């Protein structure tokens, strides 16, 4: 097969010297594979197979679990730390938890690549994360419908809460005002004052896909925020 652009989403040890990996690939979406020998001391592949490192990979196998055959670097790894690193780990965990195996998501791959470029810049993180989240929701046919649950347009003066069953918005408090929701519908996720509402809508829409098990990366973000608040007291 032609080498496929890819990123590592998750890796865990398998047997003595191998690893089970989850990859985000350009044309095949999420691919599960065994990386044989990658845990062996001195393995050159071990250094390449790192989160946020752009790769070219090939694999063999017809079942759901593939066997990696080729793994080459195709660029510099994104150097992330602190909040930027946690945002990257969140994106990896989100894609691992929600994407079906071998479900093509070329737009998700493109926005994930853009996210890695944005994460070192604090002012760009939120907008890049929201673009990835909403593109993921659209790819899975789970994106919010920015209409009222009755099917009509959102009243700019009214306040709404997200209704997961209909993927629309019903009147409710405290909610988000209709004007803000209309701006989000137009893709204005990074406009001033919209970061909080965009995050709230994305989280509400993703909740049915993630189920009841919490994301570990969110817990780490919460711990980081609490540590920072404690340091300011």
């Amino acid at each position: 097969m032609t080498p496929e652009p890819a990123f590592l989403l998750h890796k865990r040890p398998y047997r003595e010297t191998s690893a089970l990996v989850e990859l985000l690939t350009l044309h095949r979406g999420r691919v599960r594979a065994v990386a044989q020998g990658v845990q062996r001391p001195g393995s050159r592949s071990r250094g390449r197979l790192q989160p946020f490192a752009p790769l070219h990979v090939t694999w063999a196998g017809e079942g759901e679990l593939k066997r990696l055959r080729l793994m080459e670097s195709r660029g510099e790894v994104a150097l992330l730390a602190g909040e930027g690193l946690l945002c990257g780990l969140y994106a990896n965990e989100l894609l691992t938890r929600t994407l079906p195996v071998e479900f093509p998501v070329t737009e998700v791959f493109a926005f994930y690549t853009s996210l890695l470029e944005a994460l070192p810049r604090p002012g760009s993180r939120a907008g890049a994360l929201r673009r990835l989240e909403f593109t993921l929701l659209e790819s899975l046919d789970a994106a919010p419908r920015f209409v009222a649950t009755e099917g009509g347009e959102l009243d700019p003066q009214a306040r709404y809460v997200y209704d997961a069953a209909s993927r629309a918005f019903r009147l409710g408090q405290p909610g988000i005002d209709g004007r803000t929701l209309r701006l989000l519908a137009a893709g204005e996720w990074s406009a001033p004052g919209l970061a909080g509402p965009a995050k709230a809508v994305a989280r509400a829409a993703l909740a049915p896909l993630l189920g009841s098990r919490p994301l570990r990366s969110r817990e780490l973000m919460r711990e980081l925020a609490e540590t920072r608040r404690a340091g300011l007291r």
Side-chain angles (χ1 to χ4, degrees):
M1 65 177 291
T2 302
E4 180 89 353
F7 290 96
L8 174 71
L9 296 178
H10 186 259
K11 178 177 69 172
R12 61 186 176 90
Y14 177 68
R15 296 181 177 170
E16 292 185 3
T17 61
S18 300
L20 289 174
V21 299
E22 304 267 359
L23 301 168
L24 176 66
T25 69
L26 176 59
H27 296 111
R28 299 284 287 275
R30 182 168 69 93
V31 170
R32 300 181 67 241
V34 175
Q36 294 178 322
V38 74
Q39 300 288 85
R40 185 181 298 117
S43 169
R44 286 184 294 180
S45 297
R46 185 174 188 171
R48 300 188 191 115
L49 193 60
Q50 300 295 330
F52 320 123
L55 301 167
H56 273 128
V57 300
T58 63
W59 59 82
E62 298 298 325
E64 183 176 298
L65 186 63
K66 313 297 185 185
R67 178 172 56 85
L68 282 186
R69 298 185 62 185
L70 171 72
M71 183 169 45
E72 295 178 341
S73 173
R74 60 180 179 89
E76 295 296 324
V77 60
L79 299 177
L80 305 177
E83 186 180 82
L85 173 60
L86 292 181
C87 289
L89 295 176
Y90 163 74
N92 286 1
E93 189 176 10
L94 177 66
L95 296 177
T96 301
R97 289 271 298 272
T98 59
L99 281 178
V101 174
E102 295 189 63
F103 179 74
V105 282
T106 54
E107 288 191 353
V108 170
F109 187 94
F111 278 103
Y112 180 86
T113 302
S114 297
L115 172 68
L116 296 187
E117 295 172 356
L119 288 182
R121 305 188 301 272
S124 302
R125 289 170 189 157
L129 274 174
R130 299 296 87 79
R131 289 183 179 89
L132 176 66
E133 289 169 334
F134 277 90
T135 302
L136 172 65
L137 288 164
E138 289 169 2
S139 299
L140 299 177
D141 196 24
R145 300 185 305 116
F146 288 92
V147 297
T149 50
E150 298 79 10
E153 291 187 359
L154 297 170
D155 181 349
Q157 305 304 317
R159 300 191 73 83
Y160 297 88
V161 295
Y162 184 70
D163 180 75
S166 63
R167 293 176 23 225
F169 294 83
R170 57 178 171 81
L171 292 169
Q173 296 291 339
I176 302 172
D177 64 89
R179 175 184 173 277
T180 294
L181 291 174
R182 286 187 173 191
L183 290 173
L184 295 180
E188 302 291 339
W189 307 311
S190 57
L194 296 188
K199 181 177 180 179
V201 171
R203 179 167 291 195
L206 287 165
L209 302 178
L210 292 169
S212 59
R213 182 161 58 95
L215 290 171
R216 176 57 179 155
S217 51
R218 279 183 184 164
E219 295 176 354
L220 292 173
M221 287 183 196
R222 192 177 303 113
E223 291 171 5
L224 176 63
E226 291 174 353
T227 300
R228 286 179 172 175
R229 284 195 295 269
L232 294 174
R233 290 172 189 166

